[in-house]
Amino acid sequence: LLVFALFWLCVSLALKSLAIQTSPWAFPIASVFHLLGIVLFVGMRLVLDLRMIGLAFGGIAVPEIMKRVGAWSLAGAMLTVVSGMVLYTADSARLAANPVFEFKVAALSAALLNTWVFHAVLTRGARDWDVTRPLPAPAVASAYVSLALWVVLMVAGRFVAYYV
């Protein structure tokens, strides 16, 4: 919490904070980029998660899906994080005190941790995953957790604006 408070102080005093607060175009443009990043990142993650749980793309091996969506997913994640930070600077004091935003940040932390565990730990033997054998249960569980957390994040993100 102390780190978050210090981050808030630095951001709220920064020149970019003043720019986003005074420009008539900065917030809407950042909002559009945030939405595009979310669509790209969550859309690509959805493809992988649905393949992992066996609901779609069953004829394509998981490593092939990962290869196809990886760069797009990373680009979407980076765009989402950068634009989200810009949006945060627009009203950092209100967001820092908003329990829905705090919940969203906690859910985002859990989702990013789950993504890291999936890619760094659970996919170590992914080269051997093909369409004929069942996938490892922990990797499938991670996909279910991912789906749930990204839905929670999107809902919380919409609710942040309405909680005063």
Side-chain angles (χ1 to χ4, degrees):
L1 192 57
L2 179 62
V3 173
F4 187 70
L6 289 173
F7 175 73
W8 165 80
L9 182 61
C10 292
V11 168
S12 63
L13 297 175
L15 288 176
K16 62 184 174 188
S17 177
L18 183 60
I20 189 93
Q21 292 170 6
T22 58
S23 169
W25 290 103
F27 190 88
I29 289 171
S31 221
V32 166
F33 280 107
H34 196 61
L35 181 61
L36 290 173
I38 290 168
V39 167
L40 186 57
F41 176 68
V42 175
M44 294 297 105
R45 187 65 207 194
L46 182 65
V47 168
L48 178 58
D49 289 341
L50 291 177
R51 170 59 184 96
M52 291 296 300
I53 65 175
L55 288 180
F57 313 107
I60 304 173
V62 171
E64 182 62 26
I65 296 272
M66 290 170 57
K67 188 171 90 176
R68 290 182 187 188
V69 304
W72 292 105
S73 184
L74 182 60
M78 290 171 48
L79 183 58
T80 302
V81 168
V82 169
S83 60
M85 292 171 77
V86 170
L87 292 172
Y88 176 78
T89 65
D91 198 2
S92 55
R94 184 182 66 80
L95 288 173
N98 185 328
V100 177
F101 182 75
E102 291 173 359
F103 175 77
K104 177 186 172 187
V105 170
L108 177 60
S109 298
L112 293 175
L113 177 62
N114 180 61
T115 300
W116 178 81
V117 167
F118 176 80
H119 288 286
V121 177
L122 300 176
T123 61
R124 284 194 179 136
R127 277 179 273 122
D128 300 328
W129 297 355
D130 61 27
V131 296
T132 61
R133 286 184 261 155
L135 297 171
V140 174
S142 175
Y144 279 109
V145 168
S146 174
L147 286 169
L149 285 171
W150 292 114
V151 168
V152 165
L153 264 162
M154 288 186 287
V155 171
R158 291 305 312 140
F159 277 47
V160 165
Y162 301 104
Y163 186 86
V164 181

